[in-house]
Every structure is written in C-alpha cells, then in structure tokens.
C-alpha cells in the first residue's frame, strides 16, 4: 500500500470531546493539515467509541488524513482505521502486527527508551514515539524523555514522533532534533481556531 510520508502534525483527540464537538474539531484539524489523526478515548462506553470512530474515519477519508486508533485493534479493524498506536501496557508489538496485517499502520510508544524503539522496529512498527518531551497536562505523571532520543535511533530509518506538552513555540527545537511527527492534544484542540493552529504546525514542516 502506498502511503504519504509520515511527517507533520499528528493530532490526538482529547478525552473530553465526543459526538458533534469531537467531529467538528477533528474536521478542523484535518482540514488544517494534520497528517495523522489519532482517536484516543479510554473513558466512554464501547457504543459511543464505535460511533465516534466511524465518524472520524469518514472525516479523515475526505481530508486524506491517516486515521489511527489508540490501543484498540478490534475497534480499528471494525471502523476501517489505517492503524493502531500502542503503549507498553497494550500488548506486544509483534502480536499487534500479526493481528493488524502487514498493510496497517502500527505506532509504538517508547517513552524515554531507545531499546524499546529498537524492539518495536524489529517487531514491524511503522513509527516510534518518544515522550513526554515536556510537562503534559494530558498525562501529568508521564516521565520526561530526552530530546536526544530522536538522533539516537535515526539509524532505524523509521519516522520518529514527539509527544507530551508540545506547543507551537517548542515545536521547532523538536523538529531540529529529528522529530518527524509532532503529536499534539491541548495546544491544538484548545486553540480558538483549530484549523489555523493546525496550519501553523504544518508550515513548520
């Protein structure tokens, strides 16, 4: 399957948004230039999650944005998402790859550990994520990650994603350090004009 290069704004939906408010926000982010949209919601019921995922799949299809589900392979398969993002508590990357198939997008959180990145690459990950890069209101207990991690795993040849506390002002130093993707929640979805904020991130690339 031919896929757009994984480089640019990676929009991650806030837990607080669901239904119409979520769809409008996602449409603005995707229309503004997000290359990936991740649906992350661990608090609502399964029926609402499926409704949201189906709606977001439709939006991302129209916008040409890759659609990823956080940590739920079965939901991703059910709604026809492009792939899944998993963390250390969400199962083995190799098993996720086997379940998803070879064409699905698989992202893996590596926190502050290059060894996890190398293991993820060996298991078939399409991109690896480090963070929290800065203090994060979304995950306040997340341990910090060193900005040098991106350069340390450049030899893997995989896109590298930064996550955690990212703002437009902080973004350039992350890109300069080797981040290919910037995963943003609050600084994007709390903006007065989500589409304009997404465009501002896209211009950095």
């Amino acid at each position: 399957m031919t896929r757009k290069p994984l480089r640019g704004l990676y929009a991650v939906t806030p837990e607080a948004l669901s239904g119409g408010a979520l769809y409008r926000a996602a449409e603005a982010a995707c229309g503004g230039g997000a290359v990936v949209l991740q649906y992350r919601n661990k608090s609502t019921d399964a029926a609402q999650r499926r409704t949201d995922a189906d709606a977001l799949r439709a939006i991302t299809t129209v916008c040409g944005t890759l659609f990823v589900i956080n940590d739920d392979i079965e939901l991703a398969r059910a709604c026809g998402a492009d792939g899944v993002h998993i963390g250390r508590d969400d199962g083995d990357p190799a098993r996720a790859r086997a379940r998803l198939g070879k064409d699905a997008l698989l992202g893996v959180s590596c926190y502050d550990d290059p060894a996890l990145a190398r293991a993820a690459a060996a298991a078939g990950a399409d991109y690896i994520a480090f963070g929290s890069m800065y203090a994060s209101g979304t995950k306040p207990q997340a341990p910090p990650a060193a900005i040098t991690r991106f350069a340390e795993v450049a030899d893997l040849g995989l896109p590298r994603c930064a996550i955690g506390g990212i703002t437009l002002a902080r973004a350039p130093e992350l890109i300069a350090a080797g981040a290919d993707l910037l995963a943003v929640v609050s600084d994007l979805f709390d903006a007065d004009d989500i589409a304009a904020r997404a465009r501002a991130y896209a211009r950095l690339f």
Side-chain angles (χ1 to χ4, degrees):
M1 179 176 67
T2 302
R3 210 184 265 134
K4 290 181 180 178
L6 283 172
R7 182 167 173 81
L9 173 63
Y10 186 128
V12 182
T13 63
E15 291 262 356
L17 289 183
S18 190
L22 171 64
Y23 313 152
R24 289 188 294 274
E27 192 167 24
C30 294
V35 297
V36 183
L37 179 77
Q38 181 190 129
Y39 175 53
R40 184 181 187 279
N41 193 317
K42 297 175 182 285
S43 58
T44 195
D45 62 84
Q48 186 62 54
R49 281 168 51 81
R50 177 61 193 273
T51 298
D52 287 348
D54 285 341
L56 295 175
R57 168 73 286 184
I59 290 166
T60 53
T61 297
V62 170
C63 294
T65 305
L66 290 166
F67 182 45
V68 170
I69 301 288
N70 180 272
D71 123 19
D72 192 331
I73 293 173
E74 299 314 313
L75 178 59
R77 286 167 58 89
C79 74
D82 293 295
V84 169
H85 184 93
I86 62 173
R88 64 161 57 101
D89 299 324
D90 301 324
D92 177 63
R95 285 197 292 271
R97 169 55 71 204
R99 184 76 181 109
L100 287 165
K102 64 182 179 65
D103 290 333
L105 190 68
L106 175 62
V108 179
S109 289
C110 303
Y111 309 98
D112 188 38
D113 191 345
L116 285 178
R118 296 187 181 280
D126 293 294
Y127 70 89
I128 49 180
F130 289 111
S132 188
M133 303 312 304
Y134 310 99
S136 169
T138 303
K139 288 190 173 183
Q141 305 307 318
I147 199 169
T148 56
R149 298 305 181 214
F150 304 109
E152 290 170 19
V153 298
D155 61 297
L156 294 176
L158 290 180
R160 294 149 293 170
C161 180
I163 190 167
I166 297 172
T167 64
L168 200 57
R170 292 166 171 165
E173 70 172 339
L174 293 169
I175 296 170
D180 302 289
L181 294 159
L182 300 179
V184 185
V185 186
S186 299
D187 193 58
L188 175 63
F189 287 103
D190 288 349
D192 291 333
D193 187 331
I194 295 171
R197 182 62 54 86
R199 286 193 293 272
Y201 273 102
R203 282 195 293 271
L204 298 175
F205 295 89

